[in-house]
Amino acid sequence: MPQVPQTFFDALAVRTWCGLALRALGRAREEIDAINVYPVADGDTGTNLYLTMESAVAAVEAVFDGHGTLAERKPPLADAARAMAHGALIGARGNSGTILAQLLRGMAQVLAADGETAHTDGEGLRLALRRAADSARHAVAHPVEGTVLSVASAAADAADGTEGDCGSVARAAYGGACAALAATPGQLAVLERAGVVDAGGRGLVAVLAALVETFTGEVPVFGAHARVEAVLASGSPGVADVTLCGDGPETVQDGGPAFEVIYLLEADDSAVTRLRGRLDALGDSLVVVGGDGLWNVHVHVDDAGAAVEAGVEAGRPYRIRITHFGLGDVHTTGAERPPRERAQRAVVAVVPGEGLAGLYGEAGATTVLARPGEPPASGELVAAVRRAHAREVVLLPNDAELRHTAAAAAEQARAEGIRVALIPTRSAVQGIAALAVHEPERRFDEDVVSMTSAAGATRYAEVAVAERQSWTMAGICQAGDVLGLVDGDVAVIGADVTATARAVLDRMLAAGGELVTLVLGDEAPVSVADILEMHVRETYLAVDTVVYRGGRQGALLLIGVE
């Protein structure tokens, strides 16, 4: 169905553009991954761009949800633009995703300036594209021509010379980007040797194509730029030079850094300036994006620990991701690494805290960490399924709100030839019960039935602190009240964590049970586990209790009864 074009930049245009860009990157993801040879041929540029944009889309949708569904209640442009930029920043993946986040942040700085009515026309879009290109180039420690930076600059240059509305400006920017993309092999020797265009630039072209569709309703094609079309249609002949190792393409990096380090960082500007200098001395491919106290740091280094320590000295790093590019002999000698054999079966689980991630990992599961307020996107779940490297996968979302996300991930994985069973676990304690009866040696269907039965037989609850006044099934709660939720509904409102937890436990055990599982968050009172364990032992004689430390998991306490 043709896209109904937007006539100017408002919150709905931001939403439409982000959604179309995500769809475009989803279609192009495998193609972009296949031509990823710079700065590291790790075959994930398309995936990283997709995950970054998916995070931006989720943030924009959250802003719209907060303003209701009526057209007259749509959010201001500034709110939608800032949400887009923030979502991309916290979800940025890899070198390409980090630069995309800065491009979106640069545009948002113009779109969100001086109130809702400013910078919504063609002139505003020209300014936004220029700010995006300049801020992205500034964020990279050593800009290289023939990359996404060149494509972004060319798009901004083409827009600068164009009069008219947003549609005209978007078309010009897209045309400039396509021409620049076609020129990238002549600017960067590694691209010319491989016979491909820059992967990050190809992703940006897809994002700009979505911008054209947003404002014109038309889906642009590469036909007017024959060299790009020819390279992309050629089957990427240079990719034959890339050895397939494990799950994706790798190539010799001539002694280049062995690790990619990415983290979010809370720090002030002066500390980040010092951090840039230190990380630049440690490695390469340094990109630091963000501002207003929150930054996304990306660097390739040999000493991953030193890169993280530098972040600790600058502020508070979190969501730290360290990726090894490959075995040492691949990077230093060019020796081919044999493909890793697929396991027959694996379990992939979403967990709310580091402690449970360790517990699930010890049981053999591949985990995806869901931090408070940061639910994983479907792309992250698909990536985890791929990382599990198994023919059969049991997926445990462990959250009722993740049911649709997990279903989308399962569908994508099935399309890639992986047999996936989704068990609709609504809490991590149900996942623990399912994992306890998991037997990889059984037939797949039998194993799934057994795990589903164990999860379904486990009632779950959590104890948390109310953030605001609201109506609940148990009455009106005030900010700061302690809430006891049983099977997702508020059942108890109290003032004391331990007393509320004991009341919740009594409600659950009134219906019977043989085993109580307690998962303590970092902010739970130290004594609560001992008090509850003693209460169960003295009051319910045939019931056992097991206690785990969940770490920073959002809820003060998770409770399972089976």
Side-chain angles (χ1 to χ4, degrees), residues 357-378:
L359 174 68
Y360 273 73
E362 290 173 3
T366 298
T367 60
V368 178
L369 193 58
R371 293 172 177 82
E374 299 177 11
S378 62

Side-chain angles (χ1 to χ4, degrees), residues 41 73 116 119 143 152 154 228 239 255 330 380 415 472-473 513 520 538:
R73 296 180 62 188
E116 183 180 1
H119 305 307
V228 176
V239 176
V330 175
E380 292 180 79
T472 76
M473 297 288 289
L520 274 68
E538 292 177 350

Side-chain angles (χ1 to χ4, degrees), residues 80 116-117 121 158 165 175 297 316 337 361 392 428 460 505 508 530:
E116 183 180 1
T117 59
D121 55 4
D165 59 11
V297 179
R316 186 178 80 86
R337 181 174 66 187
E392 302 167 338
Y460 66 96
L505 200 50
M508 298 178 75
D530 292 338

Side-chain angles (χ1 to χ4, degrees), residues 208-251:
L208 291 174
L211 189 66
V212 174
E213 187 177 0
T214 298
F215 289 111
T216 69
E218 302 167 1
V219 181
V221 296
F222 289 111
H225 305 280
R227 185 176 176 190
V228 176
E229 190 174 49
V231 171
L232 295 176
S234 67
S236 304
V239 176
D241 299 330
V242 179
T243 304
L244 291 178
C245 303
D247 293 327
E250 289 192 7
T251 189

